[in-house]
């Protein structure tokens, strides 16, 4: 008798996935497929492909051990058609299936493809909601309705109330919702940051590493010293290690950056949350418990929980509310191509070099490197959103469009005109100098405002304000900056414009 094909995508590696519920072991088949289209529609970082393929293969083994029938298509299988649509069509024929059951994907592009399968394949297609998030279906849409601008802070408060997280008698514990003001310490160079939890590759991972080295040789990134978790058990060990060793200082040094220290006190669980190996609620509850036992202070625990219960859910809500139009937005009309040094790391700007080099090595950079170094540069230099988005989607092992696009187009590039963020996160070199030790090792001088030796962020910052006056001048939160600009002597403005034109022509040439 015909059964259902239960498709599980690479970022759906959760045993409680909606499309695996009510599975009939006698008749149904789980389909998992490594497909070249997903690997190359943007040419993903080698480490990201290796992580996902190894995690997929381990997940398939776990399902088989439960007695579930899994049809696993490897990248190098002879008949592999190279796409999800092709593999689903082949599987329907192979298994004589009468139904396909899937969970909503994390990308609009894939959802559109899935919606065409009923007509293309002549079988029933059931697309189930993805209930692995903390925001219940419909809640974001109702909250957003009628609001011109969305602010994470207010959504986050709703989520705290809804899930009763860090609440006491209907009020936030400690009397405040947000402890961000305590989370902006400069780096302390005497700190010994704990080593990240890493795992020696087993036979499955070793095989995948060889496959990726051969098939993705031209892709960005390194595979050396691969130590990612590739199973849920390992991902849970990463979460435990974070709570035990890093969480207490997570808040204080959340924004700090130290040269050659990529991991800091961050959790490094984004890869696992987004692939489905960890659930957001278990990370939130583990952090909350650490506050209750007195293991970690409130500024750390609240700061960490806000990232997951607040930001992560908020950007997902915006993505699905605003797609597909969101991907094409370019409020500031930025149009420069991405300069080559985003790939090579060959630049005299030490902050950029450090952030790019570590991204190449680990497919990881923490939030402030993504936002205030790399993103800030892309914003100030006027690089086109589609190029910047592609880069971020390629280079980070936790990047999927639902989370990458709102962060890049909304938070970093202000491409949505202020729907997600109240103002652009633009900053000069002083901010990077305060939050890192990068400037000490840089060929540019952070204290200099103009000339060949000056830190490029300094003049590019003012040039950005000048270029975008029509679009940003009326923003109340930018008022102070524009008033400072208006007090500048005309000769100073000429210097800023000349330095910026020289730098951009040399380092970020227009198409
Ligand atoms: P931690 O700093 O330890 O934070 C804990 C968790 O909170 C993260 O794992 C993540 O799940 C969540 N989180 C924190 N900030 C955000 C945020 N702004 N949006 C959504 N979730 C958040 N995160 C991704 O998961 N995928 C991306 O593709 C991605 N692209 C980004 C691009 C830019 C330009 C910026 C500024 C941020 C981006 N982020 C992205 C958010 C954030 O930088 C990463 O989630 C974080 O650095 C992952 O490292 P971690 O697990 O150590 O996080
Ligand atoms: C990112 C990725 C890559 C590189 N390869 C695969 C793959 O071969 N098979 C698969 O099922 N998923 C892969 N993924 C993750 C998908 O791109 C992801 O599921 C969609 O973008 C939806 O979020
Ligand atoms: Fe970056 Fe400027 Fe500091 Fe150099 S001087 S590291 S370019 S902020």
């Amino acid at each position: 008798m015909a059964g259902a094909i239960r498709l599980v995508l690479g970022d759906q590696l959760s045993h409680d996935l909606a499309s695996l519920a009510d599975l009939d072991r006698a008749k149904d088949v789980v389909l998992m497929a490594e497909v070249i289209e997903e690997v190359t529609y943007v040419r993903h970082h080698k480490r990201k492909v290796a992580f996902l393929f190894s995690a997929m293969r381990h997940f398939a083994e776990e399902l088989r051990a439960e007695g579930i029938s899994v049809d696993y298509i490897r990248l190098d299988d002879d008949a592999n058609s190279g796409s999800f649509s092709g593999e689903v069509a082949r599987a329907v024929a192979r298994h004589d299936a009468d139904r396909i059951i899937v969970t909503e994907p994390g990308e609009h592009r894939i959802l559109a493809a899935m919606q065409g399968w009923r007509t293309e394949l002549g079988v029933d297609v059931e697309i189930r909601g993805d209930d692995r998030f903390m925001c219940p279906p419909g809640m974001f849409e109702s909250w957003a309705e009628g609001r011109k601008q969305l602010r994470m802070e207010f959504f986050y408060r709703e989520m705290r109330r809804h899930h009763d997280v860090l609440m006491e008698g209907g009020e936030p514990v400690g009397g405040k919702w947000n402890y961000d003001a305590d989370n902006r310490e400069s780096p302390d160079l005497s700190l010994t940051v704990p080593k990240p939890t890493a795992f020696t590759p087993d036979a499955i991972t070793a095989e995948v590493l060889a496959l990726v080295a051969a098939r993705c040789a031209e892709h960005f990134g390194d595979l050396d010293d691969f130590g990612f978790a590739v199973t849920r058990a390992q991902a849970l060990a990463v979460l435990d290690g974070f709570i035990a060793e890093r969480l207490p200082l997570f808040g204080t040094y959340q924004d700090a950056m130290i040269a050659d220290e990529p991991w800091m006190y961050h959790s490094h669980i984004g890869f696992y949350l987004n692939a489905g190996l960890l659930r957001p609620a278990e990370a939130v509850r583990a952090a909350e418990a650490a506050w209750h036992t007195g293991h970690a202070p409130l500024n750390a625990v609240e700061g960490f929980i806000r990232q997951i219960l607040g930001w992560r859910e908020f950007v997902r809500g915006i993505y699905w509310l605003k797609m597909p139009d969101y991907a094409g937005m370019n409020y500031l009309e930025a149009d420069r191509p991405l300069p080559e040094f985003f790939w090579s790391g060959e630049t005299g700007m030490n902050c950029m070099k450090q952030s790019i080099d570590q991204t190449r090595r680990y497919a990881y950079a923490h939030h402030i490197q993504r936002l205030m170094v790399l993103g800030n540069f892309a914003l100030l230099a006027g690089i086109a959103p589609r190029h910047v988005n592609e880069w971020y989607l390629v280079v980070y092992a936790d990047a999927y469009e639902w989370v990458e696009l709102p962060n890049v187009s909304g938070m970093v590039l202000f491409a949505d005109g202020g729907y997600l963020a109240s103002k652009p996160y633009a900053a000069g070199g002083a901010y990077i100098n305060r939050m890192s030790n990068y400037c000490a090792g840089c060929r540019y001088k952070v204290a200099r405002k103009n000339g060949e030796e000056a830190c490029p962020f300094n003049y590019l910052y003012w040039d950005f304000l000048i270029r975008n006056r029509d679009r940003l001048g009326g923003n109340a939160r930018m008022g102070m900056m524009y008033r400072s600009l208006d007090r500048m002597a005309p000769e100073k403005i000429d210097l800023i414009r000349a330095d910026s034109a020289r730098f951009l022509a040399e380092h970020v040439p227009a198409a």
Side-chain angles (χ1 to χ4, degrees):
M1 219 165 67
I5 299 285
R6 311 239 175 189
L7 176 66
V8 174
L9 304 182
D11 54 355
Q12 299 184 337
L13 308 180
S14 312
H15 288 274
D16 59 353
L17 191 70
S19 47
L20 293 178
D22 64 33
L23 177 141
D24 182 339
R25 282 171 205 223
K27 292 194 290 188
D28 295 351
V29 175
V30 170
L31 174 69
M32 299 179 71
E34 298 168 5
V35 291
I36 200 68
E37 189 170 278
E38 290 310 298
V39 177
T40 56
Y41 79 96
V42 296
R43 296 209 307 181
H44 291 290
H45 194 299
K46 292 188 187 91
R47 218 175 189 83
K48 177 180 188 180
V49 180
F51 159 60
L52 268 189
F53 282 11
S54 178
M56 285 171 69
R57 291 183 185 195
H58 281 91
F59 187 74
E61 288 309 313
E62 288 173 9
L63 293 180
R64 285 186 181 126
E66 286 176 35
I68 295 171
S69 169
V70 183
D71 191 358
Y72 192 98
I73 309 301
R74 292 175 172 227
L75 193 70
D76 278 348
D77 284 350
D78 281 344
N80 190 332
S81 64
S83 71
F84 287 143
S85 298
E87 284 317 291
V88 168
R90 287 203 316 126
V92 166
R94 204 162 47 241
H95 299 286
D96 192 21
D98 59 4
R99 247 176 348 139
I100 301 165
I101 301 177
V102 293
T103 304
E104 244 168 29
E107 213 174 301
H108 193 271
R109 169 185 66 97
I110 308 282
L111 181 62
M114 285 175 173
Q115 285 164 342
W117 288 347
R118 185 188 304 267
T119 317
E120 285 163 29
L121 305 176
V123 290
D124 240 29
V125 179
E126 187 186 340
I127 304 176
R128 297 183 175 173
D130 190 346
D131 54 12
R132 297 173 301 160
F133 290 85
M134 294 188 78
C135 188
M139 179 171 156
F140 191 85
E141 292 80 348
S142 328
W143 174 79
E145 202 173 333
R147 294 174 199 248
K148 274 212 183 98
Q149 297 177 318
L150 302 184
R151 295 294 164 257
M152 194 286 298
E153 183 63 29
F154 300 112
F155 168 75
Y156 165 59
R157 292 179 190 179
E158 290 295 307
M159 293 291 284
R160 288 265 297 271
R161 288 193 192 95
H162 182 84
H163 288 282
D164 195 21
V165 172
L166 294 179
M167 298 295 291
E168 216 165 43
E171 296 298 321
V173 296
K176 284 199 295 185
W177 289 101
N178 181 317
Y179 288 82
D180 226 13
D182 301 334
N183 289 358
R184 294 181 188 139
E185 281 295 311
S186 303
D188 174 348
L189 299 179
S190 67
L191 287 170
T192 310
V193 180
K195 286 206 175 344
T197 309
F199 304 87
T200 308
D202 63 5
I204 292 179
T205 303
E207 200 180 350
V208 163
L209 288 169
L211 171 75
V212 174
R215 291 293 301 270
C216 303
E218 304 302 317
H219 290 215
F220 177 75
D222 296 348
L223 286 169
D224 305 338
D225 303 321
F226 182 92
F228 279 2
V230 290
T231 62
R232 172 162 165 75
Q234 291 179 341
L236 280 168
V238 174
L239 175 61
D240 289 350
F242 165 70
I243 301 284
E245 296 185 25
R246 311 179 106 84
L247 177 62
L249 287 179
F250 171 88
T252 307
Y253 297 113
Q254 194 177 350
D255 292 359
M257 299 170 281
I258 299 180
D260 302 319
E261 175 38 77
W263 306 105
M264 293 301 294
Y265 290 90
H266 289 266
S267 67
H268 327 133
I269 62 167
F271 321 121
Y272 314 127
L273 287 172
N274 296 351
L277 298 178
L278 289 179
R279 299 179 190 111
E282 66 198 352
V284 166
R285 294 298 177 193
E288 189 181 25
W291 178 70
H292 281 296
T293 60
H295 171 65
L298 192 52
N299 70 310
V301 170
E302 186 282 316
F304 177 71
I305 287 177
R306 178 161 20 93
Q307 305 311 310
I308 296 180
L309 190 59
W311 279 111
R312 187 170 186 271
E313 299 290 333
F314 180 69
V315 299
R316 178 171 185 262
I318 290 188
Y319 180 81
W320 285 112
L321 199 63
K322 291 291 170 188
M323 279 301 279
D325 296 348
Y326 208 80
M329 288 186 166
N330 188 2
Y331 178 71
L332 299 180
E333 296 179 30
D335 60 1
R336 281 181 189 266
L338 191 81
E340 179 52 31
F341 69 77
F342 266 76
W343 303 109
S344 69
E346 282 168 21
T347 162
M349 293 177 283
N350 195 36
C351 53
M352 294 291 287
K353 183 175 174 44
Q354 283 276 335
S355 303
I356 294 166
D357 282 353
Q358 99 175 42
T359 298
R360 184 176 50 240
R361 285 183 71 182
Y362 303 111
Y364 177 82
H366 75 60
H367 186 73
I368 293 300
Q369 293 167 310
R370 297 188 205 196
L371 179 65
M372 299 306 295
V373 178
L374 299 160
N376 186 24
F377 183 86
L379 172 75
L380 299 187
I383 302 171
R386 69 193 165 89
H387 298 310
V388 186
N389 274 297
E390 179 173 336
W391 187 82
Y392 277 94
L393 192 55
V394 164
V395 303
Y396 293 114
D398 53 32
Y400 302 89
E401 197 181 69
W402 67 265
V403 54
E404 173 277 324
L405 179 67
N407 270 298
V408 171
S409 274
M411 199 182 308
V412 164
L413 299 179
F414 208 69
D416 63 2
Y419 189 65
L420 183 151
S422 53
K423 70 175 184 65
Y425 282 85
Y431 173 85
I432 295 172
N433 192 34
R434 187 163 68 251
M435 298 316 302
S436 77
N437 66 346
Y438 293 150
C439 301
C442 186
R443 63 161 276 222
Y444 295 105
K445 308 272 179 287
V446 72
R448 295 234 179 122
K449 306 293 179 220
N450 288 104
E452 300 257 353
E453 289 211 319
C455 166
F457 283 90
N458 290 342
Y459 46 77
L460 288 176
Y461 171 79
W462 292 111
D463 191 58
F464 167 78
L465 292 186
I466 296 166
R467 286 195 326 260
N468 289 294
R469 179 157 218 146
D470 287 354
R471 299 172 190 95
L472 300 175
N475 181 321
R477 295 203 58 206
M478 304 291 285
M480 208 168 79
M481 277 76 103
Y482 276 104
R483 284 193 291 282
S484 303
L485 184 63
D486 290 339
R487 284 195 297 273
M488 263 181 207
E491 313 79 71
K492 171 86 182 158
I493 295 201
D494 290 345
L495 283 177
I496 287 168
R497 302 239 59 181
D499 279 333
S500 300
R502 171 189 47 78
F503 179 89
L504 291 174
E506 191 178 340
H507 300 277
V508 195

